[in-house]
Amino acid sequence: MGITIKTPEDIEKMRVACRLAGEVLDYITAFVKPGITTEALDKLCHDYMVDVQGCIPAPLNYAPPGYAPYPKSICASINHQVCHGIPNDRPLKKGDIVNLDITTIKDGWHGDSSRMFIVGEASILAKRLCAVTHECLWIGIDRVRPGGRLGDIGAAIQHHAEAAGFSVVREFCGHGIGANFHEDPQVLHYGKAATGPVLEPGMIFTIEPMINAGKAAISELPDGWTIVTRDRSLSAQWEHTILVTERGHEVLTLSAGAPPRPSTLP
Ligand code: MF3
Ligand code: CO
Ligand code: CO
């Protein structure tokens, strides 16, 4: 299909959809506590998107080729779950780490963002994995500029994750986004700098590294969606939707409550 270049009008609509995705994460933050179920978080996010924001939750009934329709409105991936965890009736417990992944559709345009949440107090390893993965996201974002190459992003992320002793999931990647949930290009979170497509103003894609505390290998659960680490080690993920601008980039899914670019980065 090729990488679409968004027009100024498209970009304005993407700014709205993306900010709304960030605002769902802001809204749900106060509810992520020991005892709440991910099903309850799903319902709260669904109702906020539909009734307050006037959005469609993109995951609900989403069915890419080879997949059964996704049954819920958000993804909630706990501990060794890498991504696409389906909200259920098990309560969160102190020490869990959970990724909530929100994709809104507003006026036909998609905004996609996810964050990690620490339930109560987590282990030093769990906290470090969440922090390093957040750094990986921003190290990737730092590489986004016109004339840069897509491979610059993955190479920087892989280097940072592996220097910390962690591993990068290979089977899932960031993606172009706009009128479609998933479009070209594929944004790998590993690879070689100075390779891949040249970045141009008007491109919009996600960066969403999945980083494992143990080995990189994953498996899919029998529900056909949930991805887990094969060695059952912890996994973390953070996601933003990014626009390539004339001068660099704009992080479209930033919202008032989004954790800022880590001050620990150079
Ligand atoms: N939001 C995920 C992403 O970042 C995709 C979820 S697909 C779903 O690409 F169907 F599981 F919701
Ligand atoms: Co995404
Ligand atoms: Co997402």
Side-chain angles (χ1 to χ4, degrees):
M1 208 196 77
I3 306 176
T4 61
I5 302 297
K6 273 70 179 181
T7 69
E9 296 73 35
D10 300 343
I11 290 168
E12 207 34 66
K13 291 183 184 143
M14 282 297 286
R15 282 196 180 101
V16 174
C18 287
R19 179 179 39 78
L20 290 169
E23 287 176 359
V24 179
L25 290 163
D26 294 355
Y27 162 75
I28 204 62
T29 300
F31 295 97
V32 185
K33 292 263 167 58
I36 196 164
T37 67
T38 49
E39 224 159 49
L41 296 173
D42 175 74
K43 170 94 166 80
L44 286 163
C45 290
H46 172 96
D47 291 353
Y48 191 76
M49 285 186 263
V50 172
D51 300 335
V52 178
Q53 297 182 322
C55 288
I56 298 168
L60 190 58
N61 298 314
Y62 184 59
Y67 284 81
Y70 188 78
K72 297 286 182 181
S73 296
I74 71 171
C75 297
S77 305
I78 303 170
N79 296 338
H80 66 286
Q81 297 177 347
V82 173
C83 63
H84 305 164
I86 301 174
N88 63 23
D89 61 3
R90 280 197 314 275
L92 294 176
K93 56 183 195 308
K94 182 168 161 248
D96 285 343
I97 58 171
V98 56
N99 174 276
L100 299 181
D101 193 339
I102 303 294
T103 311
T104 52
I105 308 173
K106 181 69 170 179
D107 212 2
W109 296 85
H110 293 70
D112 192 6
S113 186
S114 81
R115 298 181 194 159
M116 293 304 296
F117 297 85
I118 291 169
V119 181
E121 187 63 30
S123 70
I124 289 172
L125 172 65
K127 285 192 281 195
R128 193 167 74 87
L129 178 66
C130 292
V132 167
T133 305
H134 189 235
E135 290 169 357
C136 284
L137 167 61
W138 279 94
I139 281 170
I141 291 171
D142 286 349
R143 296 291 173 280
V144 178
R145 57 179 179 81
R149 308 277 293 268
L150 210 56
D152 300 347
I153 298 168
I157 291 171
Q158 181 180 10
H159 181 265
H160 191 67
E162 291 178 357
F166 299 146
S167 62
V168 178
V169 171
R170 301 295 203 268
E171 289 84 352
F172 296 88
C173 55
H175 49 93
I177 182 167
N180 306 293
F181 193 164
H182 295 102
E183 53 185 54
D184 286 341
Q186 296 199 36
V187 182
L188 303 185
H189 304 114
Y190 62 93
K192 263 182 134 51
T195 64
V198 176
L199 304 182
E200 292 174 38
M203 291 180 177
I204 299 181
F205 50 79
T206 72
I207 302 178
E208 49 182 296
M210 282 143 274
I211 307 297
N212 298 347
K215 298 208 170 94
I218 52 121
S219 8
E220 187 184 286
L221 295 189
D223 65 22
W225 278 103
T226 309
I227 304 298
V228 296
T229 55
R230 211 171 255 281
D231 63 9
R232 300 300 191 261
S233 65
L234 291 175
S235 186
Q237 178 178 30
W238 290 81
E239 174 175 28
H240 272 310
T241 300
I242 319 294
L243 165 69
V244 184
T245 63
E246 297 289 339
R247 300 167 49 89
H249 59 257
E250 184 179 323
V251 182
L252 299 177
T253 35
L254 281 176
S255 57
R261 182 182 181 280
S263 54
T264 46
L265 295 179

